[in-house]
Amino acid sequence: MKIAFMFCRVLLVIFFVSSLTLVSCKSKKTAVEKTTEIVKPVEVAAVKKDRAYDLGKRLLETCNTSRFKAFSTTEATDKVRQNATKEKISIICKKINMRNGRFQGLSLIDVTHNKITDEYTFRYNIDYEKKLYKRELYVTVDTDNKVSAIATKEVNPKPM
């Protein structure tokens, strides 16, 4: 009986010490530096702004005209040029035209600067004939003033 009682006391002490150890080991929050920041459009070089707007608009106007002028090596990176084929754009345009109607214009929402890669991402509101579904265009311009990424996505309406 004494051995069982002593065994229980030892287990209780071990449990207490391990619980105390767990509670005392707090995880430390390290300060994480933000790698991106929203910048004012006037702080961005005109070449980058113009490149993003022109290529984004040219891509979206393809949906209205069904004529796509391929991006040149000075305008876009190889990755973007390989992904922007007539076939892929045609498929996307059919979907967008059915839901949104004809493309009418772009308006800049904001510009984000990535401090690590020194890339600028331009976010545009896309104005379409039908106002049921809202879409945004994202154009990323790298340090060589080439478009390194271009994407459009539908934005879900925010509840009030």
Side-chain angles (χ1 to χ4, degrees), residues 94-153:
K94 284 179 186 175
K95 177 184 165 188
I96 290 174
N97 283 345
M98 285 177 57
R99 288 178 67 86
N100 300 86
R102 293 179 55 84
F103 165 71
Q104 294 179 329
L106 288 175
S107 57
L108 184 64
I109 298 172
D110 63 28
V111 182
T112 306
H113 178 237
N114 186 326
K115 295 176 187 176
I116 295 172
T117 60
D118 197 28
E119 292 182 325
Y120 290 87
T121 302
F122 297 84
R123 185 169 65 118
Y124 293 97
N125 179 49
I126 307 172
D127 187 28
Y128 284 106
E129 192 173 46
K130 298 177 188 174
K131 307 293 183 198
L132 295 174
Y133 303 99
K134 184 178 176 183
R135 292 191 79 82
E136 290 180 352
L137 177 71
Y138 295 85
V139 182
T140 304
V141 180
D142 65 11
T143 55
D144 298 328
N145 297 327
K146 292 182 181 182
V147 171
S148 60
I150 190 164
T152 179
K153 75 174 196 176

Side-chain angles (χ1 to χ4, degrees), residues 14-116:
I14 291 172
F15 175 75
F16 179 75
V17 170
S18 62
S19 298
L20 192 62
T21 305
L22 282 173
V23 171
S24 67
C25 293
K26 295 180 183 177
S27 62
K28 295 181 181 179
K29 293 183 179 179
T30 58
V32 178
E33 188 178 325
K34 287 188 173 184
T35 58
T36 61
E37 65 179 344
I38 295 178
V39 295
K40 296 177 183 174
V42 294
E43 297 174 3
V44 182
V47 173
K48 292 183 186 303
K49 287 190 286 191
D50 294 343
R51 180 66 43 91
Y53 181 81
D54 292 343
L55 267 62
K57 186 174 179 184
R58 187 163 94 197
L59 183 68
L60 292 169
E61 283 179 343
T62 300
C63 294
N64 291 347
T65 63
S66 299
R67 292 190 184 112
F68 175 64
K69 180 184 171 195
F71 300 139
S72 71
T73 56
T74 59
E75 294 175 322
T77 61
D78 291 337
K79 181 182 171 188
V80 171
R81 289 181 29 250
Q82 289 171 356
N83 287 330
T85 63
K86 282 185 178 182
E87 295 78 23
K88 288 181 182 179
I89 293 171
S90 176
I91 292 168
I92 293 168
C93 283
K94 284 179 186 175
K95 177 184 165 188
I96 290 174
N97 283 345
M98 285 177 57
R99 288 178 67 86
N100 300 86
R102 293 179 55 84
F103 165 71
Q104 294 179 329
L106 288 175
S107 57
L108 184 64
I109 298 172
D110 63 28
V111 182
T112 306
H113 178 237
N114 186 326
K115 295 176 187 176
I116 295 172

